[in-house]
């Protein structure tokens, strides 16, 4: 069976997209944008997003900013040296967990020629998911049972100990603002929170909302001048039902909001601006949304066997996964497998691909110090020192 109708990308069809400022375009014309910084926030559907970027970039041989693992220096603020070891050329796409740091990011992804995108989720569900994923109950000595969140919120930590070894503790309050580079010391400072949100508004070309994933993707598609085929996806990294606290009481929800007030202000601000933006897109937005949803359903039905299975996402984390149908032609099989590929697996593949590319250019050889055996292997240029007396005599003879 053949599934994907996507016309293979034809580079010559488009002008060089690195600097569009001098290109005159008709009103309806645009060029696919391929230089993207996706600021990956925790538990916001960001792995589903990363999968979209991985597939887009891989198909076009774009370069990714890659770290050694899933993160790029997180929880430290992003620094150029985090992806440096994987450099061959400036990356086209960054979509691994990296904590926002304006200057190095703007240097690596110039604002004029790149698009900045991130994603948020309503703070109640986001925090519940983060708390569970990061096993914060365990870190705070409250166990891993689903009620550990409620217990924690009854008496949350008063001060933060930066020296704790448990990295996930950094997500204990306002996880989205933390990922977006906001510092703890300002978490309880309303003026600072509001100012930082204004800064983020200027820094990002699009802030997606996970709760409206399809609408968000469509806005992104339009911003990046992509095709519907480029934003097809299946939901990745979904917790198993037994790990979800489905019925949070009104009290727990309210406490989540109070404890994560900076995230609440962040979400409310961008949720409102999101809907203003959708409204500006006009009625054809919803027609395209329908087309997208139909196509997404088609792809999911054609690619996957009904139902989910348990899949390892990280070393000790198991999430809902999928099985690809076994009656597909080779090309469709590969595309379907990529659609459901875990982040770690995709990253490992991209690192291998990068390494092979560097080897081709010779760059990786330059970095390697070859094991050398010593100069004794040949004797003809053997070192024979001139004795001091003979040099003296020679240097006094006239030319
Ligand atoms: N498309 C779409 N729509 C709605 N929800 C989605 C989608 N994709 C992922 N998810 C949910 O996002 C949660 C995982 O988020 P991340 O991938 O960002 O997690 S991680 O920080 O990278 O580990 C995880 O939430 P929980 O299941 O509540 O933990 C996923 O179910």
């Amino acid at each position: 069976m053949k599934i994907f109708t996507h016309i293979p990308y034809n580079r010559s069809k488009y002008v060089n997209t690195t600097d569009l400022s001098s290109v005159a375009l008709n009103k309806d014309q645009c060029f696919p944008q391929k230089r993207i910084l996706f600021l990956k926030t925790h538990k916001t559907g960001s792995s589903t997003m990363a999968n979209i970027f991985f597939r887009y970039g891989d198909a076009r041989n774009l370069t990714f900013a890659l770290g050694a693992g899933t993160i790029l220096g997180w929880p430290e603020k992003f620094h150029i040296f985090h992806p440096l070891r994987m450099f061959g050329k400036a990356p086209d796409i960054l979509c691994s967990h990296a904590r926002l740091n304006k200057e190095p990011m703007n240097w690596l992804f110039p604002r004029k020629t790149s698009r900045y995108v991130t994603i948020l989720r309503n703070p109640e569900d986001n925090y519940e998911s983060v708390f569970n994923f990061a096993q914060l109950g365990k870190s705070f000595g409250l166990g891993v049972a689903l009620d550990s969140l409620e217990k924690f919120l009854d008496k949350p930590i008063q001060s933060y100990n930066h020296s704790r070894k448990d990295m996930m503790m950094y997500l204990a309050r306002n996880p989205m603002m933390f990922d977006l580079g906001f510092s703890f010391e300002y978490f309880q400072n309303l003026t600072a929170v509001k100012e930082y949100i204004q800064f983020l508004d200027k820094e990002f070309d699009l802030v997606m909302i996970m709760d409206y994933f399809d609408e968000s993707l469509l806005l992104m598609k339009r911003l990046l001048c992509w095709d519907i085929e480029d934003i097809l996806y299946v939901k990745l990294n979904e917790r198993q039902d037994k790990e979800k606290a489905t019925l949070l009481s009104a009290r727990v929800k309210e406490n989540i909001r109070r404890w994560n007030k900076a995230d609440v202000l962040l979400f409310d601000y961008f949720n409102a601006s999101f809907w203003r933006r959708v409204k500006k897109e006009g009625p054809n937005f919803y027609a395209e949304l329908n087309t997208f949803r139909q196509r997404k359903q088609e792809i999911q039905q054609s690619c996957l066997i009904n139902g989910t299975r348990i899949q390892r996402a990280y070393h000790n984390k198991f999430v809902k996964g999928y099985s690809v149908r076994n009656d597909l032609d080779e090309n469709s099989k590969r595309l379907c497998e990529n659609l459901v590929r875990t982040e770690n697996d995709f990253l490992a593949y991209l690192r291998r691909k990068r390494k092979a590319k560097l080897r081709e250019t010779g760059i990786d050889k330059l970095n390697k110090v070859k094991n050398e055996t010593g100069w004794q292997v040949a004797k003809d240029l053997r070192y024979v020192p001139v004795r001091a007396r003979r040099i003296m005599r020679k240097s006094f003879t006239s030319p």
Side-chain angles (χ1 to χ4, degrees):
M1 184 177 5
K2 192 164 178 60
I3 298 169
F4 287 83
T5 55
H6 201 26
I7 307 144
Y9 182 73
N10 174 2
R11 197 174 259 276
S12 61
K13 230 174 88 182
Y14 305 108
V15 294
N16 181 352
T17 54
T18 40
D19 185 3
L20 299 176
S21 54
S22 58
V23 181
L25 299 176
N26 291 335
K27 207 163 75 4
D28 320 320
Q29 229 186 345
C30 62
F31 297 106
Q33 183 66 39
K34 289 174 265 151
R35 200 106 195 261
I36 300 144
L37 185 142
F38 174 69
L39 199 294
K40 193 173 189 292
T41 42
H42 280 88
K43 299 292 139 192
T44 54
S46 65
S47 304
T48 306
M49 287 304 300
N51 180 278
I52 291 174
F53 292 119
F54 290 150
R55 281 182 286 126
Y56 186 88
D58 181 38
R60 292 155 183 84
N61 282 324
L62 301 181
T63 311
F64 287 87
L66 298 171
T70 352
I71 54 175
L72 278 168
W74 190 97
E76 279 172 47
K77 284 195 180 181
F78 179 78
H79 194 286
I80 299 295
F81 72 72
H82 292 139
L84 206 58
R85 51 201 298 269
M86 296 289 178
F87 259 38
K89 71 182 197 52
D92 299 297
I93 298 179
L94 186 159
C95 61
S96 294
H97 283 296
R99 193 165 168 228
L100 187 75
N101 196 5
K102 179 178 167 59
E103 266 153 42
M105 283 182 167
N106 285 177
W107 184 83
L108 206 55
F109 288 85
R111 290 296 289 121
K112 209 173 152 198
T113 51
S114 316
R115 293 291 172 266
Y116 279 58
V117 178
T118 190
I119 185 163
L120 304 176
R121 179 181 187 180
N122 82 76
E124 290 165 11
D125 294 344
N126 178 250
Y127 193 72
E128 189 276 318
S129 175
V130 165
F131 197 90
N132 175 285
F133 170 77
Q135 299 202 324
L136 291 176
K138 200 169 159 192
S139 307
F140 295 120
L142 302 168
V144 287
L146 292 180
D147 67 351
S148 60
L149 170 61
E150 185 174 350
K151 286 189 196 153
F152 172 75
L153 290 167
D154 280 342
K155 207 178 163 214
I157 39 170
Q158 294 305 321
S159 64
Y160 203 90
N161 182 355
H162 290 250
S163 63
R164 291 189 83 121
K165 279 206 190 97
D166 184 353
M167 243 175 34
M168 285 299 159
M169 291 278 287
Y170 285 92
L171 296 174
R173 191 174 194 183
N174 295 313
M176 294 185 285
M177 277 293 255
F178 179 80
D179 286 340
L180 287 165
F182 194 59
S183 302
F184 303 136
E185 357 351 353
Y186 303 119
F187 274 5
Q188 299 187 162
N189 179 333
L190 181 62
T191 315
V193 170
K194 285 185 172 168
E195 274 181 20
Y196 200 76
I197 291 171
Q198 290 304 317
F199 155 74
L200 293 172
D201 197 10
K202 290 196 191 77
E203 208 53 27
F204 284 92
D205 297 293
L206 175 65
V207 176
M208 301 169 62
I209 304 288
M210 188 196 98
D211 312 68
Y212 310 103
F213 207 80
D214 291 350
E215 289 85 345
S216 293
L217 274 176
L218 199 51
L219 282 184
M220 185 180 90
K221 174 212 167 269
R222 290 177 171 207
L223 170 77
L224 302 181
C225 190
W226 284 10
D227 218 75
I228 280 196
E229 298 292 312
D230 300 325
I231 55 167
L232 296 173
Y233 73 92
V234 297
K235 185 175 178 177
L236 298 179
N237 224 2
E238 184 178 1
R239 261 180 302 171
Q240 298 172 64
D241 293 337
K242 63 174 188 195
E243 289 181 7
K244 284 186 193 170
T246 37
L247 288 173
L248 291 181
S249 70
R251 191 174 64 86
V252 170
K253 284 185 183 174
E254 179 55 24
N255 283 343
I256 291 178
R257 296 176 69 81
R258 288 177 180 212
W259 173 242
N260 298 286
K261 191 66 189 167
D263 269 5
V264 168
L265 291 168
L266 172 81
F267 180 82
D268 288 352
Y269 179 91
F270 283 106
N271 187 40
S273 66
F274 178 88
W275 289 108
R276 280 198 298 276
R277 190 160 172 168
V278 168
K279 208 168 167 191
K280 273 198 202 145
E281 294 290 318
N284 76 348
F285 183 84
Y286 287 97
E288 197 177 9
L289 188 64
N290 273 340
T291 313
F292 169 45
R293 286 187 166 146
Q294 274 167 23
R295 181 73 188 118
K296 190 178 68 159
Q297 204 179 349
E298 264 170 40
I299 269 301
Q300 293 178 355
Q301 281 167 357
S302 319
C303 273
L304 308 175
I305 295 170
N306 265 348
T308 55
R309 64 181 174 90
I310 303 301
Q311 184 181 42
R312 184 191 289 266
Y314 309 104
H315 67 284
N316 61 348
K317 282 278 163 199
F318 291 86
V319 293
K320 289 185 186 176
Y322 307 89
S323 303
V324 168
R325 285 172 59 156
N326 42 27
D327 56 348
L328 306 173
D329 67 82
E330 267 313 297
N331 193 37
S332 300
K333 185 167 174 268
R334 194 173 45 81
L335 292 164
C336 293
E337 280 171 355
N338 278 348
L339 197 65
V340 298
R341 200 165 181 177
T342 64
E343 187 182 2
N344 270 338
D345 196 39
F346 228 130
L347 281 167
Y349 157 74
L350 291 170
R351 275 190 287 270
R352 285 196 301 276
K353 186 173 170 184
R354 163 64 71 87
K355 203 160 180 213
K357 230 182 191 177
L358 290 181
R359 207 172 293 137
E360 263 169 43
T361 60
I363 289 174
D364 103 311
K365 288 192 198 86
L366 289 181
N367 293 337
K368 274 195 190 134
V369 179
K370 200 176 142 246
N371 244 349
E372 293 166 35
T373 41
W375 45 73
Q376 299 89 330
V377 283
K379 303 268 184 256
D380 29 346
L381 295 179
R382 194 174 61 224
Y383 175 62
V384 183
V386 177
R387 271 189 252 127
R389 215 159 24 94
R390 278 163 67 190
I391 294 176
M392 295 277 285
R393 211 180 299 141
K394 203 169 178 192
S395 58
F396 283 112
T397 50
S398 51

